Amino acid sequence: MQKRHSSSIDGVWTRRFEAHFSRNLQSALVGAAIILFAAIASVSYGISREHDRLALKNSYQMVQGALSGLEGGLFSLTRDYAFWDEFYECILADDQEWIYSNVASQDGAESDVSIIIEPNGRFDYGWRSDIEGRERITGIFPEETLALLHDQLDAVPVTDRDAYGTFTRLDGDLWLLSMSRVTPWEGIAPDTPDAEIPRLVMGKIVTPE
């Protein structure tokens, strides 16, 4: 009788222990799962942030490279026209027929705008490739926009053969503009007054393509 009572007590204790152990094990497993999930989420977030950072950096480098390429191409185009004997002579002679036929931006031209800055007063006129007609247009860009380019040229000697640029907005479009002095191919005398030297502005609309 005592044996059966003892055995009964042992059975009850064993079942209670197993139930308690099961609950503790379940709680431990749930806790471990939560910790593991949090760790995975943290690592994933870190990887995601690093991925986003690298993607942003790569995108920035691609855009920067594209803009640098566009800028270099426009500067080179501007210099090709600026140091052209006939062009220099035709500006001084006001040969509008020659200038329109050889320099003006027209449909299919490499530049979307070309602007002549006349010497002695800096009167400007030009053409846009999206506007038909031979008639020259004045004031295509505001004076303050052109001033950003003039300031860069004014800071270097008249013998400088570089082109200088700026970005600006006009009619909702983003433009890249480039300006250079217009001189004969052989250059110009260092003591030539800057006001007597014409200038050329060429520009392109910056598009996603």
Side-chain angles (χ1 to χ4, degrees):
M1 186 78 176
Q2 188 175 357
K3 261 189 181 180
R4 285 199 301 271
H5 181 68
S6 174
S7 176
S8 176
I9 292 175
D10 290 344
V12 171
W13 181 87
T14 300
R15 287 194 297 274
R16 287 180 178 175
F17 173 79
E18 289 175 348
H20 180 72
F21 178 78
S22 297
R23 285 195 299 271
N24 287 348
L25 179 60
Q26 185 179 15
S27 298
L29 289 175
V30 171
I34 292 173
I35 293 173
L36 181 60
F37 177 79
I40 293 173
S42 177
V43 171
S44 299
Y45 177 69
I47 293 173
S48 178
R49 286 192 63 187
E50 179 65 13
H51 182 271
D52 290 345
R53 186 186 69 81
L54 291 175
L56 181 62
K57 181 180 179 181
N58 290 338
S59 298
Y60 171 78
Q61 289 176 339
M62 288 176 61
V63 171
Q64 187 179 46
L67 291 178
S68 295
L70 179 64
E71 188 178 56
L74 184 61
F75 286 5
S76 178
L77 179 67
T78 304
R79 291 194 301 268
D80 285 346
Y81 279 92
F83 308 122
W84 188 2
D85 293 346
E86 289 86 351
F87 183 30
Y88 175 74
E89 293 165 1
C90 285
I91 291 177
L92 299 184
D94 195 28
D95 187 342
Q96 292 297 307
E97 182 66 28
W98 188 97
I99 293 174
Y100 177 79
S101 299
N102 293 277
V103 180
S105 293
Q106 304 173 44
D107 185 33
E110 292 183 82
S111 64
D112 297 317
V113 68
S114 55
I115 299 173
I116 312 299
I117 312 293
E118 290 190 337
N120 302 315
R122 290 187 175 176
F123 172 73
D124 67 271
Y125 63 88
W127 297 267
R128 286 181 54 162
S129 62
D130 58 348
I131 298 179
E132 295 183 5
R134 304 172 69 90
E135 185 176 353
R136 60 188 193 179
I137 308 168
T138 60
I140 294 177
F141 286 93
E143 290 184 9
E144 54 268 26
T145 298
L146 296 181
L148 296 173
L149 297 167
H150 284 306
D151 288 347
Q152 295 179 68
L153 275 185
D154 291 343
V156 297
V158 296
T159 53
D160 184 88
R161 297 174 73 88
D162 281 333
Y164 297 87
T166 189
F167 287 93
T168 188
R169 284 198 171 274
L170 180 69
D171 298 333
D173 292 319
L174 177 63
W175 287 78
L176 171 62
L177 301 179
S178 172
M179 177 186 283
S180 178
R181 293 183 178 91
V182 179
T183 69
W185 175 253
E186 295 297 330
I188 204 159
D191 58 349
T192 304
D194 204 357
E196 296 180 5
I197 305 173
R199 298 181 177 188
L200 170 67
V201 176
M202 305 197 91
K204 290 189 72 66
I205 297 175
V206 180
T207 64
E209 292 78 19

